[in-house]
Amino acid sequence: MTTSIQTFVTLSAALTGISKNVLAPTVTNLDLPTTYFDAAKQKFPADFDLLLSAFQALIDSGKSAEDAVATIMENDTYAPVAQQINFLWYMGGWAVVTDFGTQTQNLSAITYQKGMVWQVMQSHPMGYSVSRYGYWGQEPAPLNDYIGNGE
Amino acid sequence: MNKTRFTKSIVLIVMLAISLVVVVACSTKPMDKKEHTSLDWKIPNDIKTPKVINTKTLQKAFDEFSWESFIALNWPANKNGTPDKKKIIGQKDAKTVWEHWLHTTDIFLPDGGMPVAWGGTINTADYCTNSPKTLDKIKSLGRGEKISDFLVLATEPMDTGPLIDLNGQYVQYEINLNKNMYDYIKDNELYNVEGQQQFAAENNVVNFDSGTNATADFPGKVGAIVVKAAWKVLGKNDDPSRFHTVNALIWSNPAEKGDGSCRVENVGLVGFHIAHKTESAPQWAWSTFEQVDNAPETSELPCDDTYNFHNCSCSDCPVNKMAEQPWNPDKSGQTPTQVTRVVPITKETREMNAYYQAQLRQVNPDTPWQYYMLISTQWPTKPGDPVSFQNPDPKGSPAPMVLSNTTLETFTQGVVPQIGTSCTDCHFSATNSEGQWTDFTYTLGMASKKTKKGEQ
């Protein structure tokens, strides 16, 4: 993982509240950090790099990732990009404001399936489930099993 | 010429002749098994855990596991089905280990009765409507103690439709189980509906054995294995030397609009699945192999080679489309299926294929086994308990996300799981005839209700 992607993952974990190990596991069937990093870079060619640099500078100054994110969210340039990155992790696509409200422009069918919103709901997307027959009659696993314990 | 010179000449000629014989003998001498460390008759129990654990190293470990399994399962067998340790795969095309395993038709009998004893076979006369005289003739074509292989499925195992080769012939399929799996089914009477109901009523959950590597205190064991094989009838323009071949008895299955008759054909292996439940893969490790001439990758079009299931001169043939219904394996003048591989084989897997193919060529430059290739191995990146409702990811996030064999999942190839083929995603939904969990195998759904004959 490159330094930039590591910064992106630290930023993403602080934005989403989901463990870095869940967002970027060592063993995985889909390299979502790279997919989302590349997509964000393409969508925000100038501001994305600035956001990462600003976030890293705050970390280097001794701030925690959470405090660094709080500062970022007060900045009019960085906050919209950070919000989109947060939305990307949760929904697997970009937030698009239309006359009918905010809609999701998914990167792909797979990123739709991989949206963290389903993990937080302890559920699954429509049309794709990892659970076996009869799961709806059972208690789901604890939330931390889905999103990690903040590590 | 004086006598001395004559004698010297004779000695020289004899020495040259002896040298020639030695050279020829050495070049044709079977390679010592020790020279092929990667060619072994032992079915691997599980993967060799890599020193550094990441997605790439684990994929490599599972792919090596696949190749080692392929070699061991296709090892020449003794008459009792055990690997012939005196031989090496490739020396001569011979009946293999897995071909001695029982077919699902040997285990899930139409009358729900006790499966055929291990090492035995069903009485094909119960199936084939041909006259007994004809069958006697067929028996004479059998190899060894067992009659020809018995192929009963002409539509793909998933019932997605027939695959038709360039000669207009339906590809034929079989599903075989290893002894470990057979014993579990037999011991728990899962071979009929009533037995499955009883098993569930006693709060049992199907849980096949897992392959486990040896430790200081444990000798190691092979887990439950299912093999699915796809065979094409060899005919015009086919080169039998590029296939593992058998004489097969093909049953024209009435359930597939066939007339119940049997015929003998020389068939070549074109597709091969190995599913093995192991400790590191409780969601099973799914390996799939193909004969190298099956079909081009979509990105390789237009093409000008010769394939089993692709006509390069037909650029407007619909690709990966099913034959029009009604499907009938006995119908003449079938339209061939124009097949391409949708998901390319990775560079790493190609390199591994080249390595094993070279090893096989070293044993025998003419071996048909050099013409097989691994497509990939699907394995769980999160190998937790697949049964527990308390596991947030019981499918184990399989990698790669999709995996297809052009002869076994021809029409369901794709890049999105559950739309395109994913072994784990599909088999995770497997249940028995009563809708109960069957541990990733659909075979238990083949069980029939016990009839009076089956109770005997």
Side-chain angles (χ1 to χ4, degrees):
Chain A
M1 204 187 283
T2 64
T3 313
S4 301
I5 293 184
Q6 276 172 353
T7 305
F8 175 65
V9 170
T10 307
L11 168 69
S12 298
L15 280 169
T16 59
I18 294 170
S19 167
K20 274 201 270 188
N21 294 336
V22 172
L23 299 182
T26 313
V27 179
T28 179
N29 62 358
L30 187 63
D31 183 3
L32 273 181
T34 304
T35 304
Y36 288 170
F37 179 92
D38 292 345
K41 207 171 165 61
Q42 195 182 358
K43 189 162 178 77
F44 308 104
D47 292 346
F48 180 64
D49 282 343
L50 289 175
L51 166 65
L52 289 188
S53 301
F55 177 75
Q56 189 59 50
L58 289 165
I59 297 287
D60 292 344
S61 73
K63 283 201 173 196
S64 69
E66 287 69 28
D67 287 346
V69 158
T71 306
I72 290 287
M73 297 309 277
E74 288 167 4
N75 182 298
D76 290 344
T77 305
Y78 305 141
V81 182
Q83 283 172 333
Q84 281 283 18
I85 289 169
N86 194 30
F87 194 90
L88 179 61
W89 276 106
Y90 272 97
M91 304 302 290
W94 303 116
V96 181
V97 179
T98 70
D99 292 344
F100 308 104
T102 303
Q103 296 190 339
T104 308
Q105 189 179 60
N106 286 110
L107 297 192
S108 70
I110 290 172
T111 60
Y112 163 74
Q113 289 178 0
K114 292 280 184 178
M116 289 296 161
V117 65
W118 316 117
Q119 305 294 308
V120 174
M121 287 165 64
Q122 294 155 279
S123 186
H124 63 85
M126 282 183 284
Y128 182 79
S129 175
V130 298
S131 303
R132 74 181 175 91
Y133 182 84
Y135 76 91
W136 50 86
Q138 306 285 329
E139 281 284 321
L143 181 60
N144 276 353
D145 289 358
Y146 287 87
I147 63 170
N149 56 9
E151 293 297 314
Chain B
M1 188 186 289
N2 64 37
K3 199 177 170 186
T4 315
R5 278 187 68 191
F6 177 76
T7 310
K8 274 184 183 172
S9 300
I10 292 294
V11 168
L12 197 64
I13 288 165
V14 168
M15 281 175 69
L16 274 171
I18 289 170
S19 309
L20 193 64
V21 167
V22 168
V23 166
V24 169
C26 287
S27 63
T28 55
K29 181 191 149 204
M31 303 287 282
D32 186 351
K33 190 166 153 354
K34 283 177 192 159
E35 293 169 52
H36 299 281
T37 49
S38 54
L39 301 182
D40 201 329
W41 55 267
K42 279 186 203 148
I43 300 170
N45 301 320
D46 200 349
I47 60 161
K48 293 183 188 87
T49 309
K51 283 181 187 157
V52 178
I53 301 276
N54 59 44
T55 312
K56 267 195 165 178
T57 57
L58 281 166
Q59 182 69 55
K60 184 167 182 272
F62 273 99
D63 284 350
E64 279 169 355
F65 171 81
S66 294
W67 258 111
E68 287 172 12
S69 302
F70 181 80
I71 284 162
L73 295 186
N74 286 300
W75 201 267
N78 294 310
K79 280 188 176 179
N80 64 1
T82 57
D84 185 342
K85 296 168 195 171
K86 289 179 202 145
K87 291 182 183 159
I88 307 177
I89 183 173
Q91 283 171 321
K92 194 181 163 194
D93 196 19
K95 189 162 182 175
T96 62
V97 169
W98 72 269
E99 285 169 285
H100 285 80
W101 294 358
L102 289 194
H103 288 195
T104 46
T105 43
D106 301 329
I107 299 168
F108 303 102
L109 303 181
D111 60 13
M114 182 80 95
V116 169
W118 187 258
T121 185
I122 52 166
N123 180 9
T124 47
D126 288 348
Y127 287 79
C128 306
T129 53
N130 310 34
S131 71
K133 266 189 181 176
T134 315
L135 287 174
D136 283 345
K137 279 181 194 165
I138 291 167
K139 277 185 184 179
S140 70
L141 289 172
R143 291 163 304 136
E145 79 293 353
K146 198 174 164 182
I147 65 156
S148 304
D149 278 77
F150 189 55
L151 303 176
V152 298
L153 301 163
T155 56
E156 293 193 64
M158 291 192 303
D159 256 352
T160 50
L163 169 61
I164 301 170
D165 71 14
L166 293 187
N167 293 325
Q169 294 277 357
Y170 274 48
V171 169
Q172 305 282 331
Y173 301 90
E174 64 179 317
I175 303 171
N176 295 17
L177 312 184
N178 74 338
K179 181 144 192 321
N180 183 310
M181 200 159 170
Y182 164 86
D183 284 342
Y184 187 92
I185 291 168
K186 196 175 165 195
D187 294 348
N188 293 294
E189 207 185 323
L190 298 175
Y191 51 81
N192 60 40
V193 170
E194 289 81 358
Q196 292 179 3
Q197 285 170 339
Q198 183 65 24
F199 186 80
E202 292 166 1
N203 291 322
N204 295 306
V205 176
V206 175
N207 183 15
F208 289 104
D209 241 1
S210 298
T212 311
N213 282 332
T215 62
D217 312 316
F218 182 68
K221 64 171 179 182
V222 166
I225 303 180
V226 182
V227 163
K228 270 186 201 171
W231 299 90
K232 94 182 269 308
V233 175
L234 297 178
K236 196 179 146 200
N237 298 327
D238 292 326
D239 176 359
S241 71
R242 291 174 72 87
F243 298 85
H244 167 58
T245 61
V246 298
N247 283 323
L249 191 59
I250 295 176
W251 185 46
S252 180
N253 189 345
E256 296 170 336
K257 299 189 174 63
D259 62 9
S261 65
C262 290
R263 69 184 201 276
V264 173
E265 297 280 4
N266 188 229
V267 293
L269 186 68
V270 287
F272 194 69
H273 278 340
I274 310 166
H276 189 168
K277 186 179 178 186
T278 72
E279 219 168 49
S280 66
Q283 284 81 2
W284 301 57
W286 306 87
S287 319
T288 193
F289 288 80
E290 291 190 36
Q291 204 273 351
V292 296
D293 305 320
N294 280 349
E297 291 183 356
T298 307
S299 59
E300 290 170 343
L301 299 180
C303 55
D304 56 6
D305 281 334
T306 305
Y307 293 98
N308 299 327
F309 305 106
H310 190 97
N311 179 359
C312 287
S313 61
C314 185
S315 56
D316 57 351
C317 286
V319 171
N320 297 334
K321 297 285 181 221
M322 277 175 271
E324 281 182 17
Q325 300 230 32
W327 300 327
N328 182 348
D330 298 331
K331 200 175 120 191
S332 60
Q334 308 275 347
T335 305
T337 316
Q338 183 81 334
V339 180
T340 67
R341 183 182 318 289
V342 173
V343 180
I345 300 171
T346 66
K347 179 177 156 281
E348 291 80 7
T349 306
R350 283 178 190 279
E351 286 168 4
M352 191 178 289
N353 286 339
Y355 169 77
Y356 280 97
Q357 287 161 351
Q359 291 276 306
L360 290 159
R361 250 192 312 276
Q362 244 186 300
V363 175
N364 174 4
D366 297 323
T367 178
W369 294 115
Q370 68 184 298
Y371 301 117
Y372 289 88
M373 61 182 178
L374 174 68
I375 307 306
S376 192
T377 318
Q378 195 181 57
W379 52 282
T381 60
K382 296 178 188 168
D385 180 356
V387 184
S388 170
F389 288 113
Q390 287 298 297
N391 180 357
D393 191 0
K395 282 185 186 170
S397 291
M401 293 181 88
V402 291
L403 175 59
S404 307
N405 184 305
T406 62
T407 64
L408 284 140
E409 290 91 22
T410 317
F411 310 109
T412 52
Q413 300 182 69
V415 293
V416 180
Q418 225 153 280
I419 299 168
T421 312
S422 159
C423 321
T424 309
D425 276 283
C426 177
H427 283 262
F428 183 72
S429 305
T431 60
N432 63 15
S433 51
E434 300 298 297
Q436 290 141 350
W437 167 263
T438 54
D439 197 3
F440 293 91
T441 180
Y442 285 100
T443 57
L444 299 190
M446 297 175 183
S448 300
K449 285 191 171 173
K450 246 194 294 194
T451 64
K452 279 196 173 169
K453 192 183 166 203
E455 283 168 2
Q456 289 165 1

